[in-house]
Amino acid sequence: MDSPALFTKLANGLTVHLKEIHTAPLISHWVWYRVGSRNEVPGKTGLSHWVEHLQFKGTPRFPPSVLDKAISREGGVWNAFTYLDWTTYYETLPADRIGLALELEADRMINSVFDPAMVEAERTVILSELEGNENEPLFQLGRAVQQASFQHHPYRNEVIGNREDLLQITREDLVQHYRQYYVPNNALIAIAGDFRLEEMLQRVREVYESLPAGEIPPRNIPVEPSPSGEKRLEVHGPGETAYIQVAYRALPAAHPDFAVLMVIDSLLSGPASLNMFGGGGISNKTSRLYRALVEKELAVGVGGGVQATIDPFLFEITITLPPVYHPDQTLRAFDEQIVRLMETPVTSKEIQRAIKQARALFAYGSENITNQAFWLGYAEMFDHYDWFVHYLDRLSQVTPMDVQRVAQQVLTPQGRVVGFYLPEENRPGGAP
């Protein structure tokens, strides 16, 4: 039987999604803001992620020395995440302690301090984080591919921001971003767990409904034209491992064929989880690219993924090359599998296995209370909660003809970026 749920909007525009689940004496509370790197402009990249950091630096009521101790003392966990389309904060606590999460998030929705010393300290932390990322070959490659994939849309930027912007952004920039987007009418509260719907709704009203609505800036997101030809790039850096990353312009999550693209992902490189917490650990050894590349010793690993986003983002496949590598040979074998998918319908047995794996991974990532609360809000960031409710049904309805049709639309040579990461000291196989 489905768990009772309630969906409403408060007078100040705050959306509230509640789901009653009595499997454990826990409640998970999430607050989602419709702001991420998609809402940033050139020169100000990284604002959303930096504001998220500063939300942990206190309010007059909850100074930073109190926050962590307060959550851990009550036996809870908490965290936050910034992505392309959204920023979210959550607390999972014993059911009788959820009042702390309600009070905390309502308070920092309007009362975060942005102490100048904290702003500068976090600038140092974030620049250090970026420097650490830049020491990772796959970050360097992924950033180059992402920037080459978009010329105008903010999806071209990493969520963490560009170094030049992080050095120039001011406290006033951060406060303005916070005041513009951290308002009830740009937020969604999602709560799942051991409570009664009407009682929890009343608690939410008492804590949140008095907060003033704000004026959300117009979302003037630049329109990205369709790709007009394949792009190739090389990144050279430290390390001993070479990689290939192929990125196609994907479908937005609300597109009717998004589930088909997820089945294509499962067929080619193994199923990927849409849930940030992952789950399942399903092997990709039955996938086409594993068999064609890894089993043939043209690669030592292959993985892919599609993200659920508002606008078309990327379907990326990353190939880890062997110590003696021949990128041209590996890429030819990869392309053979793409052409095969476009020209020859998959068998019923193969598509059912791919659907089964994708369904299982989705289910694993949706079962506990924290994950159910996550999905109450997450699906609303790119579509509606009904997207989550009907997703498994849409997966089950995907046919071999659907796969062939969408592969022909999405996996076109003229619509992709191919990036090579080559260690500065090339191995004997040579570069492309």
Side-chain angles (χ1 to χ4, degrees), residues 105-138:
E105 294 297 356
D107 188 43
R108 63 180 179 176
M109 187 178 285
I110 58 171
N111 293 323
S112 285
V113 173
F114 290 79
D115 177 83
M118 291 290 189
V119 168
E120 291 308 313
E122 287 310 301
R123 187 194 308 272
T124 301
V125 167
I126 292 168
L127 285 167
S128 176
E129 182 182 343
L130 177 60
E131 185 177 342
N133 289 344
E134 290 174 338
N135 289 329
E136 296 295 328
L138 284 177

Side-chain angles (χ1 to χ4, degrees), residues 71 101 111 132 145 178 212-213 255 268 310 344 366 413 430-431:
I71 299 291
N111 293 323
V145 168
Y178 169 67
H255 194 284
L268 283 176
I310 295 173
T344 307
S366 311

Side-chain angles (χ1 to χ4, degrees), residues 43 64 72 77 83 110 119 172 184 205 208 221 339 342 358 384:
S72 60
V77 295
Y83 193 52
I110 58 171
V119 168
E172 289 69 30
R205 288 189 186 280
Y208 284 103
I221 310 300
V339 170
M342 295 169 70
H384 301 287

Side-chain angles (χ1 to χ4, degrees), residues 126-147 156-163 166 233 235 238 243 245 316 318 421:
I126 292 168
L127 285 167
S128 176
E129 182 182 343
L130 177 60
E131 185 177 342
N133 289 344
E134 290 174 338
N135 289 329
E136 296 295 328
L138 284 177
F139 177 86
Q140 289 195 38
L141 179 59
R143 179 174 60 182
V145 168
Q146 191 170 329
Q147 289 178 345
R156 76 186 308 271
N157 299 312
E158 290 285 341
V159 171
I160 196 171
N162 300 325
R163 177 178 298 277
L166 295 173
L233 59 90
V235 178
Y243 301 92
Q245 187 172 91
E316 298 172 316
T318 302
Y421 182 90

Side-chain angles (χ1 to χ4, degrees), residues 67-210:
L67 291 175
D68 267 324
K69 293 177 183 176
I71 299 291
S72 60
R73 185 173 57 243
E74 301 294 0
V77 295
W78 69 328
N79 211 332
F81 310 92
T82 306
Y83 193 52
L84 301 168
D85 301 321
W86 46 261
T87 306
T88 188
Y89 303 81
Y90 83 93
E91 300 82 23
T92 299
L93 289 153
D96 61 349
R97 296 291 186 265
I98 197 60
L100 174 61
L102 294 167
E103 297 286 345
L104 164 66
E105 294 297 356
D107 188 43
R108 63 180 179 176
M109 187 178 285
I110 58 171
N111 293 323
S112 285
V113 173
F114 290 79
D115 177 83
M118 291 290 189
V119 168
E120 291 308 313
E122 287 310 301
R123 187 194 308 272
T124 301
V125 167
I126 292 168
L127 285 167
S128 176
E129 182 182 343
L130 177 60
E131 185 177 342
N133 289 344
E134 290 174 338
N135 289 329
E136 296 295 328
L138 284 177
F139 177 86
Q140 289 195 38
L141 179 59
R143 179 174 60 182
V145 168
Q146 191 170 329
Q147 289 178 345
S149 298
F150 299 95
Q151 300 306 305
H152 306 290
H153 197 286
Y155 282 171
R156 76 186 308 271
N157 299 312
E158 290 285 341
V159 171
I160 196 171
N162 300 325
R163 177 178 298 277
E164 297 78 12
D165 297 352
L166 295 173
L167 289 168
Q168 298 298 323
I169 285 171
T170 66
R171 176 184 181 274
E172 289 69 30
D173 294 328
L174 294 159
V175 171
Q176 181 184 35
H177 196 72
Y178 169 67
R179 295 294 180 208
Q180 287 179 324
Y181 292 105
Y182 279 60
V183 292
N185 45 321
N186 195 48
L188 182 150
I189 301 297
I191 309 176
D194 192 15
F195 56 82
R196 298 298 176 189
L197 291 177
E198 293 301 330
E199 293 175 6
M200 181 57 71
L201 178 60
Q202 182 58 33
R203 296 183 72 176
V204 169
R205 288 189 186 280
E206 291 170 358
V207 173
Y208 284 103
E209 197 159 33
S210 63

